[in-house]
Amino acid sequence: MSVELSSSFSSEDWQELKDSQDKAQIITVLRHRYSERYFEPFKKNESKHGFSMMAVSCLVIESLISLKRGWKKTTKSGKVIFEEFFSTSHHLTDFTGLGADFYEHIRCGILHQAETTGGWRIRRDLSLPLVCADTKVIHATKFLNLLEKEFEKFLAELEEQEFASPQWSKVVRKIDHIVTNCG
């Protein structure tokens, strides 16, 4: 049974695309998948909520890490993964050193308790900074926008590499896992 990897690309199309080693088309599929699932639903949407934006942001972080590593699923400690993500980020450097807290109180709080924990709060007031560790406030809109830039940076770096590179091998392996999970 075919499953949509994005609204314009199905799991049945993957093998042909992989065999053709069409980097540009694979990048287009990834961009479309992330855009329609994670980023676009919050743009020009009067009903958006910071809580939902952060829940989706956590999905993006774990998905992007798995894509970069070629993992079938995340197996390392979440605190370690999130700290690694922030410490290597180009756009979310304000969270360096906060990965463990973010994982426990934002990601796990939202996923397991349907609320943030540890005194952390999510806001969208434009006067607020991206994050204030002292008051434990995260600006959801700014966070998601910078996360999208982080994703685009990854795609730009991927575009510059040869299809036979280790990074492309990991991306292909991850998409293979996604397609296998669809069946």
Side-chain angles (χ1 to χ4, degrees):
M1 176 170 83
S2 181
V3 175
E4 288 184 348
L5 299 177
S6 76
S7 62
S8 62
F9 189 80
S10 75
S11 58
E12 287 180 346
D13 302 323
W14 171 239
Q15 190 61 49
E16 183 179 327
L17 187 57
K18 181 172 75 169
D19 291 345
S20 72
Q21 299 184 3
D22 188 342
K23 294 184 336 179
Q25 185 60 31
I26 294 170
I27 288 171
T28 297
V29 168
L30 288 170
R31 181 175 284 118
H32 196 234
R33 177 180 173 88
Y34 276 71
S35 178
E36 70 184 11
R37 289 179 181 217
Y38 304 126
F39 303 123
E40 288 302 319
F42 294 105
K43 295 179 181 176
K44 298 178 185 172
N45 179 348
E46 297 300 317
S47 300
K48 65 184 172 187
H49 194 281
F51 182 86
S52 300
M53 295 171 85
M54 290 309 297
V56 165
S57 293
C58 292
L59 289 172
V60 172
I61 290 170
E62 291 196 42
S63 172
L64 185 53
I65 289 169
S66 292
L67 187 63
K68 287 180 175 184
R69 302 292 184 260
W71 292 342
K72 185 174 185 174
K73 59 182 180 176
T74 51
T75 55
K76 285 185 175 180
S77 162
K79 291 180 182 182
V80 171
I81 291 170
F82 275 72
E83 187 55 50
E84 179 183 324
F85 177 80
F86 290 128
S87 68
T88 59
S89 171
H90 298 277
H91 298 284
L92 292 163
T93 56
D94 291 358
F95 286 87
T96 301
L98 296 174
D101 239 28
F102 187 97
Y103 177 78
E104 181 178 351
H105 299 297
I106 304 301
R107 187 262 188 208
C108 290
I110 290 171
L111 180 63
H112 300 294
Q113 306 303 321
E115 62 186 54
T116 59
T117 61
W120 281 91
R121 294 172 292 151
I122 299 167
R123 298 287 186 262
R124 291 188 308 120
D125 178 345
L126 292 177
S127 68
L128 295 172
L130 172 61
V131 62
C132 181
D134 295 338
T135 59
K136 297 183 176 184
V137 174
I138 297 174
H139 192 292
T141 303
K142 291 177 182 178
F143 189 93
L144 188 59
N145 289 340
L146 290 172
L147 190 55
E148 183 175 18
K149 287 182 180 184
E150 193 73 31
F151 175 71
E152 286 297 330
K153 174 108 173 98
F154 171 69
L155 293 183
E157 291 169 353
L158 196 59
E159 192 171 34
E160 297 299 316
Q161 297 179 35
E162 295 296 321
F163 193 78
S165 72
Q167 186 58 70
W168 268 104
S169 295
K170 292 173 186 175
V171 167
V172 167
R173 185 170 52 235
K174 177 57 181 178
I175 298 172
D176 282 342
H177 292 313
I178 292 168
V179 169
T180 299
N181 286 336
C182 292

